[in-house]
Amino acid sequence: MIEIRLYNTLANRLEPLDPVHPGEVRIYTCGPTVYASAHIGNFRTFVFQDILRRFLRSQGYRVIQVMNVTDVDDRIIHSAAAAGIGIREYTEKYIQAFLEDIDALRIETPEEVVRATDHIEDMVALIERLQQKGLTYTSDGSIYFRISKFPGYGKLSKIDLTGIQPGARVDVDQYDKENVRDFALWKAPKPGEQFWETRIGPGRPGWHIECSAMSMKYLGDTLDIHTGGVDLAFPHHENEIAQSEAATGKPFVRMWLHAEHLIIEGQKMSKSLGNFYTLRDLFAKGHKPSAIRFLLLSVPYRRQLNFTEEGLSQARHSVERLRNFVARLKAEQFPPGSNPEVRKLMETAEKDFDLGLANDLNTAVALAAVFDLVRDMNTTMDGGTFLQQDAPRAIAAMEKFDEVLALLTDQDTETLAKLGFAPDRPRLLAQEIEALVEERNAAKKNRDFRRADEIRQKLADSGILLEDTKDGTVRWKYK
Ligand code: AMP
Ligand code: ZN
């Protein structure tokens, strides 16, 4: 097994993965807050987590991943109250849409997807433990965590605690580092808002307690990996550490992994700024799920990802390149035998792919290994030195990469149709295709490569693939 090193925000450095239970990695992922549809910034983070789990599995680990769905927080309560419905009813359609969206992006569903509102009792029990230890106080019916009683407070986000006012409180779920204060574990009911009658009084949970309660319930007191976007490190994850470690006296998480943001025109994509695309916005513009997945995974998770539609078009071509290569491997006849040089290329690529991902999930290195291999193998095929027995070996290599990348199988049309997009494209008639192919040949002869590429793309958009053969003629086929 190769050593897998990941950047642990808590330690501020790369560390070798060292799971509590050998051979098994337990991961907790902060899931979506379901007051609106998730946007592709959110999916950047969820795709990173998918690469993580797929890579760990490809390396022989068993993975248990728990993802919560935040279906109660300030924004949900307000939106549901404004709509005049209960929060379960309000959040249901967003939960369904989220599950469809992750499916469209081929993000594997975690072993457990759990809702906060199904775990009120677990949260109450955890708050009681904190109360028994004298770490909380009540004010106006709300219960707060006294951060001055937890010496480790600030260790994840490295905030400066000098000058904080003991007893100063913050009531909102989301706040910034200017507001390092005692935070709400439990909030007193407000008129018109949904609340629960519990042993600790009527009310509803603060945002942070759900993740401590649910992660420890399903994964034990000490988790191997906890993930989220960088915006969650403070206050959310800092507060999770305080609640959990104060209750159990044990380390809560071995490794904290945080994904950098997806940005658009220089700003973080976010619901509050209104500068976001949902997946469905992009599908409506004709972008494919696989291209979006490619784009989101192509930039290593600790680098900001600058989203552009131009980038999406390139991503689409990259996916097509991989798929066409495998199609060529399956369709073409090669001379008998096997070429040790070609095998060596494959072994090197496989090694580089794994080493890239083992180094803090460096997807850029891993993809470079794959695309270099595709280029080199295409060259050997064109030169006639790629041999018959190399083909199944190459297909196996591509399929192995795809256990992590999940791009090769073309499910785009089916996925889009399922979500109500992509009305069946009118199929071009054979004579229309011939005419376009001829026009493309003429364009190429005149060195008008732009027009030639446009035509190729137009045909591809209608499900037609072109193959330029060695003797200069062009073959086409339906995808
Ligand atoms: P939320 O639904 O707001 O709780 O966010 C779900 C996940 O998406 C969290 O892990 C966030 O940190 C993450 N996230 C939010 N905005 C972005 C963004 N622009 N880029 C990457 N991740 C994001
Ligand atoms: Zn969380």
Side-chain angles (χ1 to χ4, degrees), residues 295-321:
L295 180 68
L296 296 183
L297 67 77
S298 62
V299 177
Y301 77 97
R302 281 202 310 122
R303 272 193 234 149
Q304 282 191 340
L305 192 162
N306 188 18
F307 174 82
T308 60
E309 285 199 64
E310 166 66 24
L312 258 188
S313 305
Q314 283 167 15
R316 175 195 182 123
H317 290 300
S318 300
V319 173
E320 275 167 14
R321 193 164 159 72

PDB file of all heavy atoms in Angstrom, residues 295-321:
ATOM      1  N   LEU A 295     -14.610  19.328 -14.687  1.00  0.00           N
ATOM      2  CA  LEU A 295     -14.103  20.650 -14.310  1.00  0.00           C
ATOM      3  C   LEU A 295     -13.914  20.726 -12.785  1.00  0.00           C
ATOM      4  O   LEU A 295     -12.894  21.207 -12.297  1.00  0.00           O
ATOM      5  CB  LEU A 295     -15.072  21.745 -14.775  1.00  0.00           C
ATOM      6  CG  LEU A 295     -14.637  23.158 -14.427  1.00  0.00           C
ATOM      7  CD1 LEU A 295     -13.394  23.538 -15.232  1.00  0.00           C
ATOM      8  CD2 LEU A 295     -15.744  24.168 -14.699  1.00  0.00           C
ATOM      9  N   LEU A 296     -14.910  20.223 -12.052  1.00  0.00           N
ATOM     10  CA  LEU A 296     -14.843  20.350 -10.590  1.00  0.00           C
ATOM     11  C   LEU A 296     -13.713  19.518  -9.986  1.00  0.00           C
ATOM     12  O   LEU A 296     -13.144  19.892  -8.970  1.00  0.00           O
ATOM     13  CB  LEU A 296     -16.188  19.958  -9.958  1.00  0.00           C
ATOM     14  CG  LEU A 296     -17.374  20.866 -10.328  1.00  0.00           C
ATOM     15  CD1 LEU A 296     -18.628  20.418  -9.598  1.00  0.00           C
ATOM     16  CD2 LEU A 296     -17.093  22.334 -10.019  1.00  0.00           C
ATOM     17  N   LEU A 297     -13.400  18.388 -10.618  1.00  0.00           N
ATOM     18  CA  LEU A 297     -12.352  17.561 -10.018  1.00  0.00           C
ATOM     19  C   LEU A 297     -10.960  17.903 -10.551  1.00  0.00           C
ATOM     20  O   LEU A 297      -9.952  17.477  -9.989  1.00  0.00           O
ATOM     21  CB  LEU A 297     -12.649  16.060 -10.193  1.00  0.00           C
ATOM     22  CG  LEU A 297     -12.623  15.417 -11.583  1.00  0.00           C
ATOM     23  CD1 LEU A 297     -11.218  15.165 -12.090  1.00  0.00           C
ATOM     24  CD2 LEU A 297     -13.377  14.096 -11.542  1.00  0.00           C
ATOM     25  N   SER A 298     -10.902  18.688 -11.637  1.00  0.00           N
ATOM     26  CA  SER A 298      -9.610  18.873 -12.302  1.00  0.00           C
ATOM     27  C   SER A 298      -8.638  19.751 -11.509  1.00  0.00           C
ATOM     28  O   SER A 298      -7.436  19.643 -11.675  1.00  0.00           O
ATOM     29  CB  SER A 298      -9.818  19.457 -13.701  1.00  0.00           C
ATOM     30  OG  SER A 298     -10.419  20.735 -13.596  1.00  0.00           O
ATOM     31  N   VAL A 299      -9.171  20.603 -10.657  1.00  0.00           N
ATOM     32  CA  VAL A 299      -8.296  21.479  -9.866  1.00  0.00           C
ATOM     33  C   VAL A 299      -8.164  20.874  -8.466  1.00  0.00           C
ATOM     34  O   VAL A 299      -9.174  20.610  -7.813  1.00  0.00           O
ATOM     35  CB  VAL A 299      -8.893  22.902  -9.771  1.00  0.00           C
ATOM     36  CG1 VAL A 299      -8.033  23.796  -8.887  1.00  0.00           C
ATOM     37  CG2 VAL A 299      -9.063  23.499 -11.158  1.00  0.00           C
ATOM     38  N   PRO A 300      -6.927  20.624  -8.006  1.00  0.00           N
ATOM     39  CA  PRO A 300      -6.760  20.033  -6.676  1.00  0.00           C
ATOM     40  C   PRO A 300      -7.533  20.821  -5.613  1.00  0.00           C
ATOM     41  O   PRO A 300      -7.631  22.045  -5.694  1.00  0.00           O
ATOM     42  CB  PRO A 300      -5.250  20.120  -6.448  1.00  0.00           C
ATOM     43  CG  PRO A 300      -4.665  20.120  -7.823  1.00  0.00           C
ATOM     44  CD  PRO A 300      -5.641  20.854  -8.685  1.00  0.00           C
ATOM     45  N   TYR A 301      -8.079  20.096  -4.648  1.00  0.00           N
ATOM     46  CA  TYR A 301      -9.094  20.698  -3.773  1.00  0.00           C
ATOM     47  C   TYR A 301      -8.594  21.855  -2.927  1.00  0.00           C
ATOM     48  O   TYR A 301      -9.381  22.682  -2.483  1.00  0.00           O
ATOM     49  CB  TYR A 301      -9.720  19.614  -2.880  1.00  0.00           C
ATOM     50  CG  TYR A 301      -8.859  19.186  -1.700  1.00  0.00           C
ATOM     51  CD1 TYR A 301      -9.054  19.732  -0.428  1.00  0.00           C
ATOM     52  CD2 TYR A 301      -7.856  18.238  -1.851  1.00  0.00           C
ATOM     53  CE1 TYR A 301      -8.267  19.354   0.644  1.00  0.00           C
ATOM     54  CE2 TYR A 301      -7.069  17.853  -0.780  1.00  0.00           C
ATOM     55  CZ  TYR A 301      -7.267  18.410   0.462  1.00  0.00           C
ATOM     56  OH  TYR A 301      -6.493  18.043   1.523  1.00  0.00           O
ATOM     57  N   ARG A 302      -7.273  21.937  -2.718  1.00  0.00           N
ATOM     58  CA  ARG A 302      -6.816  23.052  -1.874  1.00  0.00           C
ATOM     59  C   ARG A 302      -6.459  24.298  -2.678  1.00  0.00           C
ATOM     60  O   ARG A 302      -5.937  25.261  -2.146  1.00  0.00           O
ATOM     61  CB  ARG A 302      -5.642  22.607  -1.000  1.00  0.00           C
ATOM     62  CG  ARG A 302      -6.153  21.808   0.203  1.00  0.00           C
ATOM     63  CD  ARG A 302      -5.206  21.768   1.365  1.00  0.00           C
ATOM     64  NE  ARG A 302      -3.880  21.400   0.997  1.00  0.00           N
ATOM     65  CZ  ARG A 302      -2.813  22.163   1.217  1.00  0.00           C
ATOM     66  NH1 ARG A 302      -2.936  23.336   1.808  1.00  0.00           N
ATOM     67  NH2 ARG A 302      -1.613  21.738   0.860  1.00  0.00           N
ATOM     68  N   ARG A 303      -6.757  24.239  -3.987  1.00  0.00           N
ATOM     69  CA  ARG A 303      -6.582  25.442  -4.800  1.00  0.00           C
ATOM     70  C   ARG A 303      -7.953  25.994  -5.149  1.00  0.00           C
ATOM     71  O   ARG A 303      -8.875  25.215  -5.416  1.00  0.00           O
ATOM     72  CB  ARG A 303      -5.883  25.082  -6.109  1.00  0.00           C
ATOM     73  CG  ARG A 303      -4.390  25.123  -5.985  1.00  0.00           C
ATOM     74  CD  ARG A 303      -3.799  25.069  -7.385  1.00  0.00           C
ATOM     75  NE  ARG A 303      -2.847  23.994  -7.477  1.00  0.00           N
ATOM     76  CZ  ARG A 303      -2.597  23.309  -8.577  1.00  0.00           C
ATOM     77  NH1 ARG A 303      -3.258  23.555  -9.688  1.00  0.00           N
ATOM     78  NH2 ARG A 303      -1.692  22.352  -8.568  1.00  0.00           N
ATOM     79  N   GLN A 304      -8.062  27.293  -5.207  1.00  0.00           N
ATOM     80  CA  GLN A 304      -9.324  27.871  -5.646  1.00  0.00           C
ATOM     81  C   GLN A 304      -9.601  27.440  -7.079  1.00  0.00           C
ATOM     82  O   GLN A 304      -8.686  27.287  -7.878  1.00  0.00           O
ATOM     83  CB  GLN A 304      -9.255  29.393  -5.599  1.00  0.00           C
ATOM     84  CG  GLN A 304      -9.413  29.922  -4.199  1.00  0.00           C
ATOM     85  CD  GLN A 304      -9.608  31.424  -4.173  1.00  0.00           C
ATOM     86  OE1 GLN A 304      -9.261  32.113  -5.130  1.00  0.00           O
ATOM     87  NE2 GLN A 304     -10.125  31.915  -3.089  1.00  0.00           N
ATOM     88  N   LEU A 305     -10.854  27.263  -7.368  1.00  0.00           N
ATOM     89  CA  LEU A 305     -11.234  26.864  -8.721  1.00  0.00           C
ATOM     90  C   LEU A 305     -11.979  28.034  -9.354  1.00  0.00           C
ATOM     91  O   LEU A 305     -13.021  28.455  -8.850  1.00  0.00           O
ATOM     92  CB  LEU A 305     -12.128  25.629  -8.654  1.00  0.00           C
ATOM     93  CG  LEU A 305     -12.418  24.866  -9.938  1.00  0.00           C
ATOM     94  CD1 LEU A 305     -12.929  23.475  -9.592  1.00  0.00           C
ATOM     95  CD2 LEU A 305     -13.390  25.547 -10.851  1.00  0.00           C
ATOM     96  N   ASN A 306     -11.409  28.549 -10.420  1.00  0.00           N
ATOM     97  CA  ASN A 306     -12.018  29.695 -11.078  1.00  0.00           C
ATOM     98  C   ASN A 306     -12.987  29.195 -12.146  1.00  0.00           C
ATOM     99  O   ASN A 306     -12.570  28.652 -13.154  1.00  0.00           O
ATOM    100  CB  ASN A 306     -10.898  30.543 -11.692  1.00  0.00           C
ATOM    101  CG  ASN A 306     -11.426  31.842 -12.225  1.00  0.00           C
ATOM    102  OD1 ASN A 306     -12.525  32.267 -11.863  1.00  0.00           O
ATOM    103  ND2 ASN A 306     -10.674  32.461 -13.112  1.00  0.00           N
ATOM    104  N   PHE A 307     -14.270  29.403 -11.916  1.00  0.00           N
ATOM    105  CA  PHE A 307     -15.262  28.842 -12.836  1.00  0.00           C
ATOM    106  C   PHE A 307     -15.493  29.747 -14.040  1.00  0.00           C
ATOM    107  O   PHE A 307     -15.765  30.932 -13.888  1.00  0.00           O
ATOM    108  CB  PHE A 307     -16.593  28.627 -12.117  1.00  0.00           C
ATOM    109  CG  PHE A 307     -17.677  28.183 -13.055  1.00  0.00           C
ATOM    110  CD1 PHE A 307     -17.767  26.855 -13.407  1.00  0.00           C
ATOM    111  CD2 PHE A 307     -18.557  29.093 -13.618  1.00  0.00           C
ATOM    112  CE1 PHE A 307     -18.737  26.432 -14.310  1.00  0.00           C
ATOM    113  CE2 PHE A 307     -19.524  28.674 -14.520  1.00  0.00           C
ATOM    114  CZ  PHE A 307     -19.613  27.344 -14.860  1.00  0.00           C
ATOM    115  N   THR A 308     -15.390  29.160 -15.228  1.00  0.00           N
ATOM    116  CA  THR A 308     -15.814  29.870 -16.443  1.00  0.00           C
ATOM    117  C   THR A 308     -16.511  28.859 -17.360  1.00  0.00           C
ATOM    118  O   THR A 308     -16.250  27.662 -17.287  1.00  0.00           O
ATOM    119  CB  THR A 308     -14.611  30.444 -17.234  1.00  0.00           C
ATOM    120  OG1 THR A 308     -13.754  29.363 -17.619  1.00  0.00           O
ATOM    121  CG2 THR A 308     -13.819  31.455 -16.423  1.00  0.00           C
ATOM    122  N   GLU A 309     -17.361  29.368 -18.220  1.00  0.00           N
ATOM    123  CA  GLU A 309     -18.020  28.460 -19.170  1.00  0.00           C
ATOM    124  C   GLU A 309     -17.034  27.948 -20.207  1.00  0.00           C
ATOM    125  O   GLU A 309     -17.169  26.841 -20.723  1.00  0.00           O
ATOM    126  CB  GLU A 309     -19.211  29.147 -19.832  1.00  0.00           C
ATOM    127  CG  GLU A 309     -20.374  29.232 -18.861  1.00  0.00           C
ATOM    128  CD  GLU A 309     -21.689  29.472 -19.558  1.00  0.00           C
ATOM    129  OE1 GLU A 309     -22.119  28.605 -20.337  1.00  0.00           O
ATOM    130  OE2 GLU A 309     -22.266  30.550 -19.323  1.00  0.00           O
ATOM    131  N   GLU A 310     -16.040  28.769 -20.476  1.00  0.00           N
ATOM    132  CA  GLU A 310     -14.955  28.346 -21.372  1.00  0.00           C
ATOM    133  C   GLU A 310     -14.272  27.097 -20.786  1.00  0.00           C
ATOM    134  O   GLU A 310     -14.006  26.118 -21.497  1.00  0.00           O
ATOM    135  CB  GLU A 310     -13.979  29.539 -21.480  1.00  0.00           C
ATOM    136  CG  GLU A 310     -12.613  29.269 -22.078  1.00  0.00           C
ATOM    137  CD  GLU A 310     -12.686  28.886 -23.528  1.00  0.00           C
ATOM    138  OE1 GLU A 310     -13.672  29.245 -24.184  1.00  0.00           O
ATOM    139  OE2 GLU A 310     -11.749  28.203 -23.989  1.00  0.00           O
ATOM    140  N   GLY A 311     -14.030  27.143 -19.479  1.00  0.00           N
ATOM    141  CA  GLY A 311     -13.434  25.985 -18.797  1.00  0.00           C
ATOM    142  C   GLY A 311     -14.311  24.754 -18.936  1.00  0.00           C
ATOM    143  O   GLY A 311     -13.818  23.633 -19.087  1.00  0.00           O
ATOM    144  N   LEU A 312     -15.622  24.975 -18.902  1.00  0.00           N
ATOM    145  CA  LEU A 312     -16.548  23.840 -19.045  1.00  0.00           C
ATOM    146  C   LEU A 312     -16.470  23.231 -20.444  1.00  0.00           C
ATOM    147  O   LEU A 312     -16.542  22.010 -20.589  1.00  0.00           O
ATOM    148  CB  LEU A 312     -17.977  24.312 -18.815  1.00  0.00           C
ATOM    149  CG  LEU A 312     -18.614  24.016 -17.472  1.00  0.00           C
ATOM    150  CD1 LEU A 312     -20.084  24.391 -17.496  1.00  0.00           C
ATOM    151  CD2 LEU A 312     -18.453  22.538 -17.107  1.00  0.00           C
ATOM    152  N   SER A 313     -16.320  24.085 -21.455  1.00  0.00           N
ATOM    153  CA  SER A 313     -16.207  23.550 -22.821  1.00  0.00           C
ATOM    154  C   SER A 313     -14.935  22.730 -22.957  1.00  0.00           C
ATOM    155  O   SER A 313     -14.937  21.661 -23.563  1.00  0.00           O
ATOM    156  CB  SER A 313     -16.159  24.665 -23.860  1.00  0.00           C
ATOM    157  OG  SER A 313     -17.254  25.490 -23.700  1.00  0.00           O
ATOM    158  N   GLN A 314     -13.848  23.239 -22.379  1.00  0.00           N
ATOM    159  CA  GLN A 314     -12.601  22.458 -22.430  1.00  0.00           C
ATOM    160  C   GLN A 314     -12.781  21.129 -21.709  1.00  0.00           C
ATOM    161  O   GLN A 314     -12.300  20.090 -22.156  1.00  0.00           O
ATOM    162  CB  GLN A 314     -11.467  23.234 -21.785  1.00  0.00           C
ATOM    163  CG  GLN A 314     -10.919  24.327 -22.680  1.00  0.00           C
ATOM    164  CD  GLN A 314     -10.027  25.286 -21.925  1.00  0.00           C
ATOM    165  OE1 GLN A 314      -9.594  24.989 -20.803  1.00  0.00           O
ATOM    166  NE2 GLN A 314      -9.768  26.432 -22.502  1.00  0.00           N
ATOM    167  N   ALA A 315     -13.485  21.174 -20.586  1.00  0.00           N
ATOM    168  CA  ALA A 315     -13.713  19.954 -19.797  1.00  0.00           C
ATOM    169  C   ALA A 315     -14.458  18.928 -20.637  1.00  0.00           C
ATOM    170  O   ALA A 315     -14.154  17.741 -20.627  1.00  0.00           O
ATOM    171  CB  ALA A 315     -14.486  20.280 -18.527  1.00  0.00           C
ATOM    172  N   ARG A 316     -15.429  19.427 -21.384  1.00  0.00           N
ATOM    173  CA  ARG A 316     -16.208  18.521 -22.230  1.00  0.00           C
ATOM    174  C   ARG A 316     -15.307  17.822 -23.255  1.00  0.00           C
ATOM    175  O   ARG A 316     -15.404  16.621 -23.481  1.00  0.00           O
ATOM    176  CB  ARG A 316     -17.270  19.356 -22.930  1.00  0.00           C
ATOM    177  CG  ARG A 316     -18.085  18.616 -23.926  1.00  0.00           C
ATOM    178  CD  ARG A 316     -18.813  19.615 -24.794  1.00  0.00           C
ATOM    179  NE  ARG A 316     -19.644  18.916 -25.742  1.00  0.00           N
ATOM    180  CZ  ARG A 316     -20.957  19.093 -25.854  1.00  0.00           C
ATOM    181  NH1 ARG A 316     -21.571  19.955 -25.093  1.00  0.00           N
ATOM    182  NH2 ARG A 316     -21.634  18.414 -26.739  1.00  0.00           N
ATOM    183  N   HIS A 317     -14.396  18.594 -23.830  1.00  0.00           N
ATOM    184  CA  HIS A 317     -13.485  17.985 -24.805  1.00  0.00           C
ATOM    185  C   HIS A 317     -12.563  16.971 -24.137  1.00  0.00           C
ATOM    186  O   HIS A 317     -12.247  15.930 -24.721  1.00  0.00           O
ATOM    187  CB  HIS A 317     -12.661  19.056 -25.520  1.00  0.00           C
ATOM    188  CG  HIS A 317     -13.505  19.873 -26.456  1.00  0.00           C
ATOM    189  ND1 HIS A 317     -14.190  19.321 -27.505  1.00  0.00           N
ATOM    190  CD2 HIS A 317     -13.816  21.185 -26.477  1.00  0.00           C
ATOM    191  CE1 HIS A 317     -14.886  20.258 -28.134  1.00  0.00           C
ATOM    192  NE2 HIS A 317     -14.676  21.401 -27.527  1.00  0.00           N
ATOM    193  N   SER A 318     -12.135  17.280 -22.933  1.00  0.00           N
ATOM    194  CA  SER A 318     -11.257  16.346 -22.222  1.00  0.00           C
ATOM    195  C   SER A 318     -11.975  15.021 -21.980  1.00  0.00           C
ATOM    196  O   SER A 318     -11.404  13.946 -22.161  1.00  0.00           O
ATOM    197  CB  SER A 318     -10.812  16.934 -20.887  1.00  0.00           C
ATOM    198  OG  SER A 318     -10.118  18.135 -21.112  1.00  0.00           O
ATOM    199  N   VAL A 319     -13.239  15.104 -21.560  1.00  0.00           N
ATOM    200  CA  VAL A 319     -14.004  13.869 -21.322  1.00  0.00           C
ATOM    201  C   VAL A 319     -14.147  13.104 -22.628  1.00  0.00           C
ATOM    202  O   VAL A 319     -13.966  11.880 -22.677  1.00  0.00           O
ATOM    203  CB  VAL A 319     -15.392  14.195 -20.721  1.00  0.00           C
ATOM    204  CG1 VAL A 319     -16.244  12.935 -20.636  1.00  0.00           C
ATOM    205  CG2 VAL A 319     -15.243  14.834 -19.340  1.00  0.00           C
ATOM    206  N   GLU A 320     -14.441  13.840 -23.708  1.00  0.00           N
ATOM    207  CA  GLU A 320     -14.599  13.159 -24.998  1.00  0.00           C
ATOM    208  C   GLU A 320     -13.305  12.475 -25.430  1.00  0.00           C
ATOM    209  O   GLU A 320     -13.327  11.394 -26.001  1.00  0.00           O
ATOM    210  CB  GLU A 320     -15.067  14.147 -26.064  1.00  0.00           C
ATOM    211  CG  GLU A 320     -16.573  14.285 -26.033  1.00  0.00           C
ATOM    212  CD  GLU A 320     -17.102  15.463 -26.835  1.00  0.00           C
ATOM    213  OE1 GLU A 320     -16.342  16.027 -27.640  1.00  0.00           O
ATOM    214  OE2 GLU A 320     -18.288  15.796 -26.627  1.00  0.00           O
ATOM    215  N   ARG A 321     -12.209  13.127 -25.129  1.00  0.00           N
ATOM    216  CA  ARG A 321     -10.914  12.542 -25.499  1.00  0.00           C
ATOM    217  C   ARG A 321     -10.733  11.177 -24.819  1.00  0.00           C
ATOM    218  O   ARG A 321     -10.305  10.210 -25.439  1.00  0.00           O
ATOM    219  CB  ARG A 321      -9.812  13.510 -25.070  1.00  0.00           C
ATOM    220  CG  ARG A 321      -8.479  13.201 -25.636  1.00  0.00           C
ATOM    221  CD  ARG A 321      -7.541  14.403 -25.492  1.00  0.00           C
ATOM    222  NE  ARG A 321      -6.153  13.970 -25.567  1.00  0.00           N
ATOM    223  CZ  ARG A 321      -5.571  13.569 -26.688  1.00  0.00           C
ATOM    224  NH1 ARG A 321      -6.235  13.565 -27.815  1.00  0.00           N
ATOM    225  NH2 ARG A 321      -4.320  13.168 -26.673  1.00  0.00           N
TER     226      ARG A 321
END
